[in-house]
Amino acid sequence: MISSKSNREIELMRQAGKIVALAHQEVAKYIVAGVTTKKLDQIVEKVIRDHDATPSFKGYGGFPASICASINDTLVHGIPDDTVLKSGDIISIDIGACYKGYHGDSAWTYAVGEVSQEAVHLMEVTKESLFVGLAKAKPGSRLGDISNAIGEYVFSFGYSVPLEYAGHGIGSSLHEEPSIPNFGQAGRGVVLKEGMTLAIEPMVHRGKPFTRVLADDWTVKTKDGSLAAHYEHTIVITAQGYEILTTL
Ligand code: MG
Ligand code: MG
């Protein structure tokens, strides 16, 4: 049973979401050749703490940082370190903030300087697939309608999605039921109701869907080394459709 959130809970998630959006806005200014991913992590952590929130990811399952910083063929869960960004890289930054016990979660892929046409296209398709999926988010729709819309859009460009990573419910826990895959059958799954809060997050590979996890037990890369992109918003289902919570 997936419960709807109260208005009070949704308001706290709106605050958490704003803090995540502010952190993205701030970190975006620093995404240039020469910066380390550790520096980006510090910038985000400061924004989150300056707004009386805590980084949702830090310590989650032992994750050591406030952001996931995933470069080029890293799909998700890259650990910030002394890696220096260079022009032509793409980097997916995933940010979570917890405000008064409620979470916001949003990822975005950024270009570092001039990037290839292939990278630009992958980013555009992945970002668009998020909104194609969101267009299905309304009371009475089924979860599979969102999953199917994302998958069909992505596959129409010959791209793929990883099978084992998905969006999720969110609230007082970072990850709640249900799991929201980026592919699936329309008309199947949970019926959406007003007040449900979900993190929709297409992850897209230019190549095949297979992944591998590095020895650090976190970093997930595409197995074939192809580029990957990742866009995510936390939303609440409203009477009319949906509201994005991870926005300013
Ligand atoms: Mg996320
Ligand atoms: Mg998420």
Side-chain angles (χ1 to χ4, degrees), residues 7-228:
N7 287 337
R8 176 189 157 271
E9 291 176 298
I10 291 165
E11 181 52 32
L12 291 175
M13 291 184 68
R14 204 176 272 121
Q15 296 305 318
K18 271 206 177 75
I19 295 164
V20 170
L22 278 170
H24 268 292
Q25 186 183 59
E26 185 64 15
V27 79
K29 299 174 191 165
Y30 293 85
I31 298 177
V32 292
V35 76
T36 64
T37 51
K38 192 190 273 178
K39 171 78 177 169
L40 301 178
D41 184 61
Q42 288 163 355
I43 287 157
V44 166
E45 181 162 358
K46 179 163 175 17
V47 173
I48 291 172
R49 294 200 189 279
D50 282 352
H51 289 83
D52 299 322
T54 52
S56 303
F57 304 162
K58 201 164 199 174
Y60 185 91
F63 191 78
S66 298
I67 64 169
C68 298
S70 305
I71 301 170
N72 296 334
D73 63 336
T74 299
L75 172 64
V76 287
H77 305 166
I79 299 173
D81 59 12
D82 294 324
T83 304
V84 175
L85 294 186
K86 37 184 211 316
S87 186
D89 286 341
I90 61 172
I91 179 170
S92 300
I93 298 197
D94 200 346
I95 301 176
C98 183
Y99 180 75
K100 295 189 177 168
Y102 286 84
H103 296 269
D105 185 9
S106 174
W108 214 253
T109 303
Y110 298 91
V112 184
E114 283 282 306
V115 302
S116 68
Q117 275 310 307
E118 287 80 6
V120 169
H121 191 253
L122 177 72
M123 291 167 68
E124 284 174 357
V125 166
T126 309
K127 189 201 289 184
E128 185 60 23
S129 76
L130 170 59
F131 291 95
V132 166
L134 289 178
K136 303 287 180 183
K138 57 178 187 293
S141 281
R142 286 180 180 265
L143 213 52
D145 299 341
I146 296 176
S147 298
N148 177 263
I150 292 171
E152 292 306 307
Y153 185 77
V154 168
F155 302 153
S156 74
F157 295 93
Y159 299 156
S160 69
V161 301
L163 308 179
E164 61 275 70
Y165 300 95
H168 49 93
I170 179 169
S172 56
S173 299
L174 179 61
H175 294 118
E176 299 185 351
E177 289 293 308
S179 175
I180 310 168
N182 292 308
F183 62 96
Q185 279 184 278
R188 297 283 184 89
V190 173
V191 178
L192 300 182
K193 293 192 180 66
E194 195 175 342
M196 284 182 179
T197 46
L198 307 169
I200 310 293
E201 50 178 315
M203 295 155 255
V204 177
H205 302 174
R206 261 184 65 80
K208 297 208 160 57
F210 312 110
T211 59
R212 65 191 176 100
V213 180
L214 297 192
D216 61 20
D217 278 339
W218 282 108
T219 311
V220 181
K221 285 184 174 277
T222 59
K223 203 166 192 176
D224 60 8
S226 64
L227 285 178

